[in-house]
Amino acid sequence: MLRAGHTVLRVGATSHNVFFPLTNVPRDIADAAILARSGLNPIDWGRALVIAYKGADHPLYREALEEGALFTTGQRQFRLLDQSVEEAPGAIARRAAGVTDLRSPKDIARAIFRLVGEVGSKTEETTKLHTYMRERRRGQSGEEAAYEAATYGGSPNFARRGRAAEANILFNFFNAREQGLTRISRRVREHPLQVMIRTGVTVAIPALALYAWNASFSGDHGLDDIDADERQRYWVILRSETYQAANGETRRKYWRIAKPEIAQIVAQGIDQTMDYLRDQDPQTFKQIVLDMLGSMSPIPVKVKGEGSGGDIARGIGAGVVAAANPLISVPIEVGLDYNARQQAPLIPRSLEQVSPEHQRRPTTSPTVVAIAKRIGWSPIKLQHAITRSTAGLGQGTLDLLDRAVGKGPPPTISDYESLAGKPGFGRFMGTRGGFRDREIEERFYSLHDEALRLTGDERLVKRKKIAPEEVRGARTERDQILLGRAPMFRNISKQLSEIREQVVYFNFFADDVPTKARIDAVRDLAQRRHDLLGRFQAIEKATSNFTQRPP
């Protein structure tokens, strides 16, 4: 059963996702440029691409295949429908079809499904074939060249499993990450100077240049407004234009390019070091260490908060759930209303008290909304369950269903955000802005919950349900401050919920209101939310995160 969940996610995310090569190929090329002894030559890579599509008709392809250089790709290891590899270019389409006549919709769908897998396989093989070809040219034997290509030529050696064989079923892409990190460590030990120079040229220098460019937008919807997870996994290139998001926030447009694993470790460290040098915040240095350790774990771990023991434990727990097989993680996340990757509730706190029908975002699929209404579920939870289990393929299918029934996003969504939500475009167009206000809102609700608990204890004392000394004697100065701020927290929480409900109304139900008026209303509501959170943040700073009384 777990294998089925793993397979569905794998197919949706990689092996039969038509857009996967768009991000996977540049990542493979970057890996080969840093790790392969023979480096990367764009002309040779182009030749390898031609040879890969010629397949067994070309002697070099047959040789690389026989030596084992090409059986190590993820696509070939993930092949679900057919293990045959002896094909000429014309045979790819014929074998993908599996039939001579494509008369039924089933045959056509099956042909497309197989063809997507074949294209993905050939593009992944190209970088390994490129490395094999260059190693042979350097005088290496077929066996030596095959080892170099399989291990360092692009993607990791997926044929190596070891202790990850079963773990790969329990945790998504555990083997890919473990093999990727292991080969980096091994190559650093074997050729430290080579890796250091190449990493400096291809990662460190671009990271510094990109940081300098992005820093020019500091304080103006800049890099600190982009989701931290996004910054770790992608090169974020801010653009000069902004757009109004569907929730009314002003966000900066940006390009994003997937980072190879070594860049996720090194570039992230550079970014955070530059932040530390700029702000001189000791907490930033601590976060650098924690993030780098989390990046080097087979299960990605992100520690949020101040880095306390509890924060680290929560980060590890969230990483385990986020990486787990969908048949394990989805019931946990939906049941607990928890997005493990974001370490935040699935349903925004300000939407908890509204009816399930209204628990949706402007980007929620109308098809999902209709299904959720029939079964009495929250649309946000249902869409998370679908996309979490099937990755990009599931989201692409929902988009197609929405278009088939003539339903689209609400008119309050900008052209930029709408385009970024279409299959393929989202791999390069970023929409994960608004991070700072989300982070402030998370801190607010955390303190609000603490204040509610303290208020509840105080009510029990007044009703003589518990003795005063049992509660008040154990209170800290911070507890007293929070208790005093509880009425203000309740007021802010109420206003945030009202704002969220009105945003939902103007996005989905205000059909009699002109589109421009709806867009303006949503923008004004976003500004009100921002002002409320700013009010909370000012008090938070004045009380040193509620650890001492304001002066």
Side-chain angles (χ1 to χ4, degrees):
M1 184 180 292
L2 289 177
R3 188 176 295 275
H6 172 71
T7 298
V8 170
L9 179 67
R10 184 183 65 197
V11 168
T14 60
S15 63
H16 288 76
N17 186 324
V18 67
F19 300 107
F20 177 64
L22 294 178
T23 50
N24 191 54
V25 170
R27 194 162 44 206
D28 283 354
I29 289 174
D31 277 335
I34 295 171
L35 300 175
R37 285 180 306 197
S38 53
L40 183 89
N41 183 299
I43 296 175
D44 284 343
W45 194 91
R47 290 171 181 161
L49 179 63
V50 173
I51 294 171
Y53 275 91
K54 287 184 177 180
D57 284 350
H58 197 284
L60 184 65
Y61 185 91
R62 287 198 303 272
E63 179 187 314
L65 199 61
E66 290 167 1
E67 292 290 352
L70 304 183
F71 277 106
T72 61
T73 64
Q75 299 289 2
R76 200 171 286 282
Q77 291 289 314
F78 295 165
R79 191 72 56 82
L80 300 177
L81 300 177
D82 196 338
Q83 296 297 326
S84 171
V85 296
E86 300 294 327
E87 67 266 12
I92 293 177
R94 290 196 300 272
R95 189 171 72 78
V99 290
T100 54
D101 297 316
L102 300 178
R103 295 179 179 178
S104 71
K106 181 179 178 180
D107 286 338
I108 294 173
R110 191 179 181 188
I112 294 172
F113 187 72
R114 287 184 170 182
L115 183 57
V116 169
E118 289 295 340
V119 171
S121 180
K122 292 302 179 184
T123 53
E124 189 177 4
E125 286 176 348
T126 297
T127 307
K128 292 195 176 295
L129 192 59
H130 156 274
T131 299
Y132 181 84
M133 178 172 61
R134 289 177 63 79
E135 287 295 313
R136 291 291 279 151
R137 191 183 298 159
R138 293 173 71 238
Q140 300 296 315
S141 68
E143 182 179 357
E144 291 171 327
Y147 170 80
E148 183 72 12
T151 308
Y152 302 109
S155 59
N157 184 345
F158 290 102
R160 292 173 62 96
R161 300 247 172 93
R163 66 186 179 91
E166 296 304 324
N168 207 43
I169 301 300
L170 290 174
F171 299 103
N172 304 320
F173 311 111
F174 181 93
N175 185 53
R177 189 168 174 86
E178 183 185 48
Q179 296 302 331
L181 294 170
T182 299
R183 68 175 181 164
I184 291 172
S185 174
R186 187 187 303 119
R187 182 97 312 174
V188 168
R189 292 196 306 269
E190 293 172 346
H191 302 285
L193 185 60
Q194 171 188 293
V195 174
M196 184 177 67
I197 293 173
R198 291 182 179 180
T199 302
V201 172
T202 61
V203 177
I205 293 176
L208 288 169
L210 187 56
Y211 186 91
W213 165 258
N214 289 334
S216 64
F217 300 101
S218 180
D220 182 22
H221 310 290
L223 200 59
D224 54 354
D225 205 36
I226 306 298
D227 187 273
D229 182 63
E230 184 93 339
R231 291 176 58 183
Q232 178 184 348
R233 298 192 298 134
Y234 295 90
W235 296 105
V236 172
I237 308 170
L238 298 180
R239 297 166 57 181
S240 57
E241 308 94 352
T242 59
Y243 70 99
Q244 180 176 315
N247 68 351
E249 291 179 328
T250 298
R251 297 181 182 177
R252 188 161 298 284
K253 298 178 182 179
Y254 65 92
W255 301 112
R256 64 179 200 162
I257 303 171
K259 292 178 181 176
E261 281 169 325
I262 194 167
Q264 290 186 33
I265 298 170
V266 175
Q268 180 188 27
I270 290 173
D271 278 0
Q272 291 179 319
T273 300
M274 297 301 292
D275 287 341
Y276 172 73
L277 294 174
R278 181 189 64 189
D279 301 330
Q280 295 295 309
D281 183 0
Q283 186 62 33
T284 302
F285 181 76
K286 188 175 184 179
Q287 194 67 44
I288 293 173
V289 176
L290 290 172
D291 286 349
M292 291 192 72
L293 290 174
S295 298
M296 292 185 284
S297 167
I299 295 176
V301 173
K302 179 70 177 178
V303 177
K304 299 179 70 174
E306 299 180 358
S308 65
D311 292 334
I312 294 173
R314 279 189 292 272
I316 294 173
V320 170
V321 174
N325 185 300
L327 292 181
I328 298 174
S329 62
V330 170
I332 292 174
E333 290 184 304
V334 172
L336 297 179
D337 183 29
Y338 183 65
N339 186 327
R341 170 166 282 180
Q342 300 298 322
Q343 297 183 39
L346 281 175
I347 307 297
R349 289 290 301 271
S350 49
L351 278 181
E352 285 181 341
Q353 304 304 318
V354 305
S355 63
E357 179 186 354
H358 291 179
Q359 290 178 347
R360 53 174 162 168
R361 298 185 177 92
T363 53
T364 303
S365 161
T367 301
V368 168
V369 172
I371 296 172
K373 185 177 181 179
R374 286 181 175 275
I375 64 178
W377 253 39
S378 162
I380 289 178
K381 286 188 175 182
L382 181 58
Q383 182 151 331
H384 178 80
I386 293 171
T387 56
R388 180 76 169 78
S389 303
T390 58
L393 191 61
Q395 184 60 55
T397 301
L398 289 176
D399 292 338
L400 290 174
L401 290 173
D402 290 341
R403 282 195 285 272
V405 297
K407 294 183 177 180
T412 49
I413 288 189
S414 67
D415 292 340
Y416 175 83
E417 199 168 13
S418 178
L419 184 61
K422 288 181 169 52
F425 290 94
R427 291 182 176 266
F428 302 103
M429 298 173 64
T431 57
R432 296 288 296 277
F435 176 69
R436 291 187 64 189
D437 277 357
R438 284 198 304 274
E439 196 175 40
I440 295 170
E441 190 170 12
E442 284 181 28
R443 293 202 306 274
F444 163 74
Y445 278 112
S446 176
L447 291 168
H448 177 246
D449 290 344
E450 286 190 59
L452 282 178
R453 177 183 58 79
L454 293 167
T455 303
D457 289 344
E458 193 67 19
R459 286 174 180 169
L460 290 175
V461 170
K462 290 181 179 179
R463 295 173 185 173
K464 299 183 179 180
K465 298 292 185 181
I466 56 176
E469 58 271 13
E470 291 183 29
V471 175
R472 294 172 179 170
R475 281 184 185 155
T476 63
E477 183 180 14
R478 180 174 182 274
D479 290 339
Q480 295 292 345
I481 296 172
L482 289 176
L483 189 60
R485 295 291 185 182
M488 183 200 71
F489 287 166
R490 285 197 298 271
N491 181 46
I492 292 178
S493 177
K494 180 182 177 182
Q495 291 187 64
L496 288 174
S497 294
E498 291 172 350
I499 288 170
R500 183 78 70 168
E501 287 188 60
Q502 290 180 61
V503 168
V504 171
Y505 168 74
F506 282 110
N507 273 313
F508 297 106
F509 303 106
D511 295 333
D512 56 337
V513 179
T515 298
K516 185 179 184 306
R518 292 169 69 174
I519 293 173
D520 291 343
V522 170
R523 184 183 63 247
D524 292 342
L525 289 167
Q527 185 61 49
R528 276 182 57 195
R529 171 177 174 264
H530 177 76
D531 292 342
L532 278 173
L533 295 174
R535 175 186 166 197
F536 161 76
Q537 188 181 30
I539 297 171
E540 183 183 38
K541 288 180 178 178
T543 56
S544 297
N545 195 23
F546 297 93
T547 58
Q548 63 185 39
R549 296 186 184 280

